[in-house]
Amino acid sequence: MLSDSTVAEDMCQRTWIKVIENRHLFKSGDNFQAWLFTIGRRTLIDEFRKNAKLEFNNEAVESFSLSELLKNAQSSVEDDVAKGIEKDVFKACIQQLPYKQKEALSLQFEGFSLAEIATICSAEKETIKTRIRYAKDSLKTMLEKL
């Protein structure tokens, strides 16, 4: 569904509309990026539900880059991690991760704390720690095989 860049752009637009409509709900002092990512994630889930496709498969989520919402944000830690490793290979390995692991790890790459990731993903902090650990273990195994 979201492998189409037009649909991905539409999702970003819907997210920004929700941000504008709900700006009064943002509390000064809160992390704006975490709030924004939460809205983006919920918008994506709503779209899946609307289309009766509540499947979090790698292909569907790949085109909806949460970092598109923060185009002017600093470069992702993913780029730093991927130095010395061909980015295509690194990204291919990330794409093979289960969605929830990839989501948690990607948010960590974006610089979010475990508590913020837990809030964005509506999960317990310990669950997020486990997802990230499994993701890193899987990546390590995949990259060692290369």
Side-chain angles (χ1 to χ4, degrees):
M1 173 178 85
L2 293 178
S3 58
D4 180 351
S5 63
T6 305
V7 176
E9 288 175 18
D10 183 51
M11 293 303 303
C12 288
Q13 289 297 320
R14 287 186 201 180
T15 299
W16 278 114
I17 289 169
K18 288 181 181 184
V19 166
I20 292 167
E21 290 173 345
N22 295 299
R23 66 185 177 275
H24 64 283
L25 299 175
F26 179 74
K27 297 176 186 126
S28 181
D30 284 353
N31 183 319
F32 178 74
Q33 286 184 329
W35 185 69
L36 178 62
F37 274 62
T38 300
I39 292 171
R41 182 177 186 273
R42 289 178 181 163
T43 302
L44 179 62
I45 290 170
D46 289 346
E47 183 67 16
F48 279 127
R49 286 183 179 146
K50 184 175 108 179
N51 291 302
K53 293 185 179 182
L54 190 53
E55 294 177 30
F56 293 109
N57 61 48
N58 291 337
E59 182 181 314
V61 177
E62 179 59 28
S63 293
F64 181 74
S65 169
L66 291 175
S67 59
E68 274 186 61
L69 299 173
L70 300 167
K71 288 181 181 179
N72 296 325
Q74 63 188 28
S75 66
S76 168
V77 176
E78 178 183 345
D79 293 335
D80 296 333
V81 171
K83 285 181 182 171
I85 301 171
E86 191 171 334
K87 286 185 182 183
D88 291 340
V89 173
F90 184 73
K91 287 181 180 183
C93 290
I94 293 228
Q95 289 174 8
Q96 293 178 41
L97 295 173
Y99 173 74
K100 289 184 178 187
Q101 290 177 21
K102 180 169 67 170
E103 176 184 47
L105 186 62
S106 296
L107 289 170
Q108 187 181 53
F109 283 161
E110 291 291 337
F112 290 102
S113 70
L114 291 174
E116 292 167 334
I117 297 168
T119 300
I120 291 167
C121 297
S122 301
E124 297 293 324
K125 186 176 171 182
E126 292 302 314
T127 302
I128 297 302
K129 285 170 65 174
T130 300
R131 289 176 187 171
I132 291 171
R133 186 181 76 241
Y134 285 153
K136 288 179 178 180
D137 289 347
S138 295
L139 282 173
K140 181 180 175 186
T141 301
M142 285 184 252
L143 292 170
E144 285 174 350
K145 290 180 181 180
L146 298 176

